[in-house]
Amino acid sequence: MTIDGPTLDLIENALLNVRFEMDEVVRRAAMSPMIREQHDEFPMVCDRHGRMVVGQFGSYIPGIVERLRGDVRRGDVILFNDPYLSQGSITHCNDWCVVMPIFFEDRHIGFSSMFGHMMDVGGKVAGSQVNDATSIWEEGLRIPPIKIVEGGVLNRTALDVILNNSRTPDMNESDLMALIAGCRTAETRVIELCTRFGADPYEAACAALIERTRVALGALVRRYIPEEPVTFTDWVDDDGMGNGPFRIVLTVWREGDVCHVDWTGTDAQAPGTINFRINDGLCKLFFGIYLIMAFDPSILFNDGVRDVFDVTLPEGSLLNPRFPAAVSNRLNVHVRFFDCMSGAMGQRAPDLAMAAGYGASPYFVFSGTDDHDRYFQFVELLFGGLPGRQRGDGLDGHSWWPLFRTTPVEYTEAHYPVRVTRYVPVADSGGAGLHRGGTGVEKTYEFLSAGVFTINDDRAITNPWGVAGGRAGGRGSKLLVRADGREVPLPSKVDNLAVEPGDRFVFRTAGAGGWGDPLERPAERVAADVRSLIVTPDGARDDYGVVVDAGGAVDDEQTAALRTRLRERRGGLAPFDFGDPPGRPERFDASVVA
């Protein structure tokens, strides 16, 4: 049946509200800081075919239902986390996903689903994100699609087995029940919509919303994607085992309304844990959201993007590893995926051009036993600089995922034997440009109890590149300061490093590249950055040609003369600035810091 415009708008906005209500229910019910504080969870509402109508990451449901041979009934809740059995829809074992069928009266009307990052799922290190694993067997418990709730009855035996393999069973159980509660919220709201409008109009609206996205994205592809193939290459530092840098190659072109995305030339899968097991559907969705956010955020993000893209993912590569390759730190490749998209598409479509960002999902895990003989495990994601772009400066110390939040210092210090003694932007880490790249952050943790910590980051030996004359952003770095004052530089990837009370750890993330000629940036904006401690006076002079006095004011005469000299010395603008030559990957050696 057809659906009229006003009814379609009402159902669309109701479903968008459902999606945000799911988020809020989960955050209020979850226990772990990963979900409760940092919001590492993703909801979606799908039609009865399993196609995402509203959400973030796109539907994996058809493959999951197929594995269950179509046996999905009212009151069931499906749980899984296996990257290979889910065909790359879930990309590492920490992400537990629940799927719930929705019935209106006796009619199957759709699905709700959520996945969230669990604190710990077993494996060889606390937090389950291992740097030196060589197979997924070392990364924690793999859960195939199972009915954790069947016909409304919890499968307690299965849940006990699963929780018995985690260092944080109470938090995992709480977070799992929160995800289920979020899905039940969607179930309630969809039933209300069907009661109000009818099941047939509801299904017609879902189909119309998906088709509308397909048509709108087709128009963006025709406008912004060139017919001539364009190729771009970027690099991931290392895999934590001394191997790297690893090359990622993307070629993009258009045929009619279809954008072809070809990753041929990307390096073979890594021995370590940075492999990104992505399926072609998820790849299409990432390209779709890139175009939507760049040009028309009013377009609803859903599975309508699938018909607009054609994807080639070479088997056995970093982006399509063969089982049982390790994948727990796949976000280093995942985020570089976005940099490659910008680098390729921006060459022929300047409106798409933006620089590279901080290029990872930096995380820190500190665990041990406190003074009351209780096990603790603190997990935190850190953020870095987002790219400078044609529309303006990059964001400072921000997440790639828009809804993520930093963990409040008050929460950290109230619940864990950790004191945060410093949390500031890293000056001059944002690449200079007409529009400056975002800065990285420096966060210093003082340990109040003995324990071990694990870290993973990237962009420590490669720079986030600048574009259209913009400069490369600053690299990240790590430093352990022992209680006796001894300083020990660390690589970006470390497992199970022992620390004692009074030791401090300085975690600096990378910035982002700049966009456009830094000598064209208004001098007063540079001075404002100096006053905000985002740019140093030396950086203002050397990178922007702006002379700032001790009071933070611009010296106009000296600035004009300096900019003239710098323009003459520099010559033309380079399309990309990749910064300093890459360093050599380093494998962590615990004996060096013992």
Side-chain angles (χ1 to χ4, degrees):
M1 64 177 294
T2 58
I3 183 107
D4 62 88
T7 301
L8 181 62
D9 287 343
L10 287 169
I11 292 176
E12 176 186 7
N13 285 283
L15 287 174
L16 286 171
N17 286 332
V18 169
R19 170 255 167 100
F20 289 112
E21 187 178 3
M22 293 170 74
D23 282 331
E24 193 61 26
V25 166
V26 170
R27 294 167 192 164
R28 292 184 180 217
M31 183 184 293
S32 75
M34 292 298 298
I35 294 179
R36 186 178 187 87
E37 301 296 335
Q38 298 215 268
H39 303 178
D40 192 348
E41 45 79 23
F42 299 90
M44 69 176 182
V45 179
C46 300
D47 66 10
R48 64 184 175 88
H49 304 291
R51 299 179 300 175
M52 184 179 76
V53 182
V54 298
Q56 285 181 277
F57 262 79
S59 182
Y60 32 73
I61 290 176
I64 298 305
V65 173
E66 182 180 351
R67 285 196 60 84
L68 294 173
R69 299 178 177 84
D71 181 20
V72 179
R73 304 177 186 181
R74 186 194 302 271
D76 290 348
V77 177
I78 302 161
L79 170 67
F80 65 96
N81 79 334
D82 190 300
Y84 289 96
L85 294 182
S86 68
Q87 300 175 338
S89 298
I90 295 298
T91 55
H92 72 159
C93 295
N94 285 83
D95 288 336
W96 284 9
C97 183
V98 296
V99 176
M100 178 184 297
I102 301 174
F103 288 81
F104 176 64
E105 297 173 346
D106 291 328
R107 180 172 174 176
H108 180 208
I109 203 74
F111 293 91
S112 60
S113 181
M114 298 198 74
F115 71 86
H117 183 110
M118 296 294 129
M119 288 277 287
D120 187 279
V121 295
K124 62 190 296 185
V125 302
S128 309
Q129 293 184 246
V130 193
N131 289 302
D132 66 353
T134 57
S135 76
I136 198 170
W137 304 112
E138 302 168 82
E139 297 180 323
L141 183 69
R142 296 165 51 229
I143 307 169
I146 63 169
K147 291 187 180 181
I148 198 67
V149 178
E150 186 165 9
V153 179
L154 177 66
N155 187 339
R156 189 71 230 184
T157 300
L159 182 57
D160 286 345
V161 171
I162 292 168
L163 296 176
N164 195 53
N165 284 275
S166 170
R167 298 173 180 85
T168 58
D170 292 343
M171 285 193 175
N172 285 29
E173 182 170 8
S174 172
D175 290 358
L176 173 61
M177 296 307 161
L179 295 174
I180 293 174
C183 289
R184 292 205 187 281
T185 299
E187 176 189 41
T188 299
R189 299 297 178 239
V190 169
I191 290 173
E192 289 173 354
L193 286 173
C194 291
T195 301
R196 178 181 178 185
F197 296 103
D200 287 339
Y202 174 79
E203 289 204 278
C206 290
L209 291 172
I210 292 171
E211 175 62 13
R212 191 170 68 182
T213 293
R214 186 193 68 77
V215 172
L217 268 176
L220 292 182
V221 166
R222 287 194 304 274
R223 180 174 180 182
Y224 292 107
I225 305 300
E227 292 183 315
E228 178 186 353
V230 179
T231 298
F232 186 79
T233 301
D234 204 348
W235 302 83
V236 178
D237 283 5
D238 67 303
D239 66 350
M241 300 184 70
N243 305 300
F246 291 89
R247 179 179 54 199
I248 302 180
V249 180
L250 171 63
T251 302
V252 176
W253 73 96
R254 175 176 64 85
E255 295 179 6
D257 289 347
V258 177
C259 173
H260 291 266
V261 178
D262 189 345
W263 298 94
T264 299
T266 296
D267 277 346
Q269 65 193 59
T273 64
I274 63 170
N275 301 293
F276 184 26
R277 180 76 164 89
I278 183 175
N279 64 17
D280 65 346
L282 198 54
C283 183
K284 294 174 181 179
L285 286 157
F286 289 149
F287 269 83
I289 198 168
Y290 186 99
L291 290 175
I292 288 171
M293 297 310 294
F295 298 110
D296 192 353
S298 67
I299 297 174
L300 186 63
F301 181 52
N302 62 32
D303 272 9
V305 307
R306 289 178 177 261
D307 293 336
V308 180
F309 298 96
D310 178 77
V311 173
T312 300
L313 292 164
E315 186 178 0
S317 70
L318 280 175
L319 293 168
N320 189 11
R322 296 184 180 92
F323 179 83
V327 295
S328 61
N329 288 315
R330 82 284 183 230
L331 277 178
N332 296 339
V333 170
H334 186 177
V335 178
R336 202 71 83 259
F337 183 102
F338 297 122
D339 291 338
C340 285
M341 288 164 54
S342 176
M345 294 194 290
Q347 293 179 50
R348 294 289 186 273
D351 290 344
L352 280 171
M354 65 179 185
Y358 64 102
S361 184
Y363 75 82
F364 168 71
V365 182
F366 175 49
S367 63
T369 303
D370 65 17
D371 294 339
H372 302 285
D373 201 32
R374 295 176 300 197
Y375 177 77
F376 66 86
Q377 181 176 303
F378 173 61
V379 180
E380 180 170 28
L381 298 178
L382 289 90
F383 309 139
L386 294 191
R389 60 210 189 282
Q390 188 181 44
R391 295 188 178 185
D393 293 348
L395 300 177
D396 303 312
H398 203 279
S399 172
W400 267 113
W401 318 113
L403 299 182
F404 276 23
R405 299 290 183 268
T406 188
T407 304
V409 170
E410 296 83 355
Y411 180 94
T412 300
E413 296 183 345
H415 292 278
Y416 300 97
V418 177
R419 181 181 294 121
V420 178
T421 61
R422 184 174 172 84
Y423 188 27
V424 296
V426 179
D428 294 335
S429 63
L434 172 63
H435 297 146
R436 172 181 59 77
T439 66
V441 297
E442 176 184 311
K443 200 164 192 176
T444 301
Y445 303 90
E446 181 181 351
F447 303 107
L448 307 182
S449 175
V452 298
F453 74 78
T454 293
I455 57 170
N456 183 281
D457 197 5
D458 209 73
R459 289 294 194 199
I461 65 172
T462 61
N463 291 83
W465 40 267
V467 68
R471 302 280 183 82
R475 298 174 179 180
S477 65
K478 311 292 175 283
L479 180 69
L480 176 65
V481 183
R482 292 296 191 185
D484 61 7
R486 181 166 54 103
E487 295 186 352
V488 184
L490 298 175
S492 63
K493 300 169 181 67
V494 171
D495 282 334
N496 286 335
L497 176 57
V499 291
E500 297 293 332
D503 291 346
R504 288 176 291 128
F505 174 58
V506 183
F507 198 134
R508 295 187 186 98
T509 64
W515 185 96
D517 185 354
L519 299 183
E520 296 297 325
R521 185 172 177 84
E524 181 49 44
R525 294 189 65 184
V526 177
D529 286 340
V530 172
R531 294 192 294 270
S532 298
L533 307 181
I534 290 172
V535 174
T536 64
D538 288 346
R541 182 187 64 247
D542 297 341
D543 296 334
Y544 294 95
V546 175
V547 179
V548 179
D549 64 24
V554 177
D555 186 317
D556 293 324
E557 184 176 342
Q558 290 193 53
T559 294
L562 177 57
R563 284 187 156 180
T564 298
R565 292 197 302 273
L566 290 176
R567 285 191 183 93
E568 292 173 351
R569 185 187 311 161
R570 179 192 63 193
L573 296 175
F576 295 99
D577 176 16
F578 289 92
D580 297 327
R584 297 184 61 183
E586 181 180 354
R587 185 170 185 176
F588 173 62
D589 182 359
S591 65
V592 174
V593 294

